[in-house]
Amino acid sequence: MTEQAQTTDPADRTTATAEAIESAEAVAPAAAVEEAADQAPAADAPETPETPETPEAPEAPEAPATPEAAGAVPPGAADVPAAPAAAPARVPFRDRRRLRAALRWTAVVTVFAALGAGSAYGITRMERTDVPGLATESDGRWDYPRITKPPLPAGARPYDSEDPASGHAADLRALLLPAPARATEDKALKGEDGWLPTEDFLSVFTEKEDRAEAGQLLTDHGLRHVAARGWSTEDGTRTRVYLLRFATAEVGDAVFGKFVAYGSPSYALTGAEHVRYDDGHPSAADPRGVSRYSYDEVKPRGAEHVRQAYVRAGDVVALIVQSRKGTAAALPFQQTVTLQSQLLS
């Protein structure tokens, strides 16, 4: 038995021992297998020559940086196909619909904002009477241009209604009221160089005796100039404005008193033989320092309805006449008298 055990191949014993260890590993942990191997009889196991200690391997040198890390392309890398680029993430269908809706609404808001801004700019450039819904129905007043007083000669003092000796230094022709919009000017009243002959002014009176008496009155009081302007509006109303200048305010006041009276004027105008003082003409519109008498033709009237007013401002006496077939409206007449009075005040 001993010979047989001694002649057994050591490799077989090693294989058997390995199998036993593997079986023990399946049942017990590796620590139990090692304890069992230490307790095995020394006679059964042949002495195994000690394995010489393996010298420690030298530390491996640090691996050089790879070509990719160094930014270099290794040989043959060009032959390797590049990885396909990642496909962009697809926007969900619902999100795309929301995006298109937002873009459409943005475009709509932009268009309406532009239209609104353009409309607002256009309205601000329009006159109130041209804006639908804001236009005020006309009350019969005429559209006169902006009234400005003429410049004075160098060194001249402006007219002072509080000073009895004060007079108008401005050109009398520049003190005439301009015609309203869309009116046709009466060129016959322009006269020569804007000065109307005294005989033309006297022709407004219907009676020959009145013309002669009024002419003598003007001569005695030293009439200096007569300036006149006339026009016709689209409704057929005819307007005539006469300005008479005298040397001083006292002389102008004296002549004014000869022309007017409370009940009726001293000299009847052609086509208006029967008139009365117009109580409906408001005196609150008269400028300070201006005297005014207004008259209205009474019924039965002639072919035309005639309104007239005498105005005095210092050395100037004015006669304003409006006539129209049928009825001459009171409001444009009062407007004309007021504006002419403001120019003279």
Side-chain angles (χ1 to χ4, degrees):
M1 291 293 292
T2 304
E3 294 179 356
Q4 190 173 7
Q6 292 177 352
T7 59
T8 304
D9 189 355
D12 297 335
R13 288 203 299 267
T14 304
T15 304
T17 302
E19 292 175 356
I21 292 172
E22 292 176 359
S23 300
E25 288 178 352
V27 178
V33 174
E34 291 179 0
E35 183 179 359
D38 294 338
Q39 295 177 0
D44 294 338
E47 296 180 2
T48 304
E50 295 180 2
T51 305
E53 295 181 2
T54 305
E56 295 181 1
E59 295 182 0
E62 295 182 0
T66 59
E68 293 78 3
V73 180
D79 299 335
V80 180
R90 299 188 61 185
V91 180
F93 179 72
R94 181 176 298 177
D95 293 343
R96 292 200 302 270
R97 291 181 59 187
R98 291 177 180 174
L99 179 60
R100 287 196 296 268
L103 292 176
R104 285 197 298 269
W105 279 110
T106 301
V108 170
V109 171
T110 302
V111 170
F112 275 94
L115 291 176
S119 300
Y121 177 77
I123 290 177
T124 58
R125 302 299 298 173
M126 297 173 65
E127 296 293 337
R128 177 183 175 88
T129 54
D130 297 331
V131 180
L134 295 180
T136 303
E137 185 177 356
S138 175
D139 57 1
R141 286 179 292 183
W142 290 344
D143 184 14
Y144 279 99
R146 183 180 296 274
I147 306 301
T148 57
K149 292 186 177 182
L152 298 176
R157 296 177 55 187
Y159 167 69
D160 183 5
S161 60
E162 301 296 332
D163 184 3
S166 178
H168 292 81
D171 191 326
L172 187 65
R173 294 166 292 186
L175 292 173
L176 284 167
L177 182 68
R182 298 177 298 278
T184 303
E185 189 171 0
D186 187 355
K187 297 181 179 180
L189 293 179
K190 282 187 175 182
E192 184 178 355
D193 297 332
W195 300 118
L196 186 71
T198 304
E199 291 77 8
D200 291 354
F201 165 71
L202 294 174
S203 65
V204 300
F205 302 118
T206 185
E207 298 292 337
K208 182 178 179 181
E209 293 78 5
D210 289 346
R211 292 195 295 269
E213 184 177 339
Q216 189 61 46
L217 176 67
L218 297 178
T219 301
D220 294 343
H221 287 79
L223 175 65
R224 299 178 63 183
H225 295 293
V226 178
R229 176 170 290 158
W231 62 82
S232 298
T233 55
E234 295 176 341
D235 65 348
T237 301
R238 183 188 176 196
T239 302
R240 290 164 288 171
V241 179
Y242 304 91
L243 300 183
L244 291 73
R245 172 178 278 172
F246 299 90
T248 63
E250 290 85 349
V251 176
D253 184 54
V255 174
F256 179 75
K258 295 293 184 178
F259 274 111
V260 300
Y262 180 75
S264 61
S266 301
Y267 310 111
L269 300 182
T270 302
E273 288 79 9
H274 305 286
V275 299
R276 62 173 177 82
Y277 183 80
D278 187 3
D279 295 318
H281 195 141
S283 59
D286 297 333
R288 184 178 180 181
V290 173
S291 301
R292 174 192 55 81
Y293 276 75
S294 295
Y295 303 96
D296 188 16
E297 185 180 6
V298 299
K299 296 180 180 180
R301 304 181 183 123
E304 292 184 330
H305 179 197
V306 180
R307 295 179 181 271
Q308 57 184 300
Y310 285 91
V311 174
R312 186 197 69 85
D315 58 340
V316 176
V317 175
L319 172 61
I320 300 137
V321 183
Q322 277 191 0
S323 59
R324 181 177 181 270
K325 290 183 179 180
T327 301
L331 189 57
F333 174 72
Q334 296 170 5
Q335 178 191 15
T336 303
V337 173
T338 300
L339 293 177
Q340 182 61 72
S341 300
Q342 290 177 352
L343 267 175
L344 295 175
S345 65

